[in-house]
Amino acid sequence: MSNKFHLNAGQSKPNTIRRQLLAGSAALPLAGVMGYGSNAAAQGATKTLNISHQFPGGTIQAGDFRDRLCRKFAESVEKRTKGALKFQIYPGSSLMKTNAQFSAMRKGALDISLFPMPYAGGEVPELNIGLMPALVSSYEQAAKWKTAEVGRMLTKVLEDKGIILLSWVWQAGGVASRSKSIVNPEDVKGLKIRGGSREFDLMLKAAGASVISLPSNEIYAAMQTGAMDAAYTSSTSFMSFKLEELAKAFTSARQKSYWFMLEPLMMSKQIFDSLPKDQRDALMAAGAEMEKFGMDAAKDDDKTAALAYARAGSKVSDVDAAVVDKWKAIARDTAWKDYSEKNESCAALLKAAEKIS
């Protein structure tokens, strides 16, 4: 277990020269710093694109599957472009802070990120649909989004904001607690909990919880100090961030879940559009190729996390359809209602998503 998930996030950190270069060029787009753009494209030079994410680093064979997905994606694109495109991967938010990555892509200052979509919900409200409580309840349902109306609409929203969606990656999640098991809505009353998105937090508040907002790579510290009693996150993050060291109870996603997050591989449209068509096609093809790997790995981690927490001494609980329905009833009156009232685009996205079962 430890060999698979507890790898050093610093394995692929930038070298000293690159760190100094980036630090000294904060006001400049990264594309300019790295020397690509129209001139490089015209010369047919090899281009190195940066992939950033917040998760622990590993290798293409082992570690957090989201880091592995980035490495497999890079390998596929390099092969498809015969080495014309190469990649540098920065795990553990080693290139830039987690919450800065979406905005950086929009500006062309970051090339690619595997990024939890609702983290950008404050900047683009429509993206909060990427963790709408109880809206998605299975991977099969989630997989239908890409080619359905909601997927086309969401892709358009992102493109209008300067982002290309390369690979659809969904993850189920559960909740780890420092005290008692959390299964039904009444279990969260009086607890300080991290939900993972504004909408999920609205549902938790309605059930009586106090909510804390922070990226998943900051959960451990908050739980360790007692600033937070419990946290929802993906099954993979529960293992990668070693939360079993702190949890007394764990509710898994191996059977059912009302926590499904869209964590796609995204790219700056500015950088994407600067590349020749064959390279753009290679990026999209490799992204689509990664989706089965992502789904299979996420499903495996739902099962593995439950076993890992049981071995660590946590009381492990599961969720059934009846429990999902209880949470959905609260979510409809709070999170779903609030989201649909944001603007016409949000209302249309939610309506389209509700059509998928």
Side-chain angles (χ1 to χ4, degrees), residues 28-216:
L28 297 174
L30 192 57
V33 174
M34 297 309 294
Y36 41 79
S38 57
N39 290 338
Q43 296 168 5
T46 296
K47 289 172 283 294
T48 298
L49 301 178
N50 296 319
I51 304 179
S52 176
H53 64 76
Q54 66 173 310
F55 309 107
T59 68
I60 200 167
Q61 292 88 16
D64 187 305
F65 89 79
R66 294 161 298 196
D67 180 74
R68 293 180 61 210
L69 186 147
C70 292
R71 296 177 191 278
K72 290 171 74 70
F73 169 82
E75 182 181 68
S76 178
V77 175
E78 287 185 24
K79 182 177 180 181
R80 290 171 184 272
T81 63
K82 297 180 172 60
L85 286 180
K86 293 186 178 295
F87 299 85
Q88 180 68 46
I89 298 168
Y90 297 93
S93 298
S94 55
L95 182 63
M96 63 180 63
K97 291 184 178 180
T98 303
N99 288 333
Q101 294 177 30
F102 184 80
S103 180
M105 284 189 289
R106 292 185 67 188
K107 297 171 184 174
L110 173 64
D111 305 317
I112 299 171
S113 175
L114 196 151
F115 189 79
M117 183 176 285
Y119 283 16
E123 193 171 340
V124 182
E126 288 89 343
L127 303 187
N128 277 314
I129 201 167
L131 179 50
M132 186 65 64
L135 180 61
V136 173
S137 58
S138 73
Y139 287 100
E140 291 68 31
Q141 179 186 5
K144 296 176 183 178
W145 276 42
K146 181 179 180 178
T147 56
E149 180 187 14
V150 65
R152 294 190 294 272
M153 293 170 64
L154 193 54
T155 298
K156 178 67 164 54
V157 166
L158 284 164
E159 288 186 2
D160 289 346
K161 299 299 182 181
I163 300 291
I164 296 294
L165 208 163
L166 296 175
S167 188
W168 291 70
V169 182
W170 286 91
Q171 286 194 271
V175 56
S177 169
R178 297 172 72 244
S179 54
K180 63 177 183 176
S181 298
I182 296 173
V183 178
N184 293 294
E186 58 267 26
D187 298 331
V188 304
K189 189 173 182 179
L191 298 181
K192 295 171 290 186
I193 303 182
R194 184 261 189 189
S197 73
R198 181 181 185 278
E199 273 60 35
F200 208 92
D201 287 349
L202 285 172
M203 180 187 72
L204 292 174
K205 285 180 183 178
S210 298
V211 299
I212 296 175
S213 178
L214 43 73
S216 57

Side-chain angles (χ1 to χ4, degrees), residues 5 14 39 47 79 93 107 113 142-143 150 185 239 257 259 291 319 324 339:
F5 292 99
N39 290 338
K47 289 172 283 294
K79 182 177 180 181
S93 298
K107 297 171 184 174
S113 175
V150 65
M239 295 183 287
S257 181
W259 193 102
E291 288 166 359
V319 172
V324 172
Y339 179 81

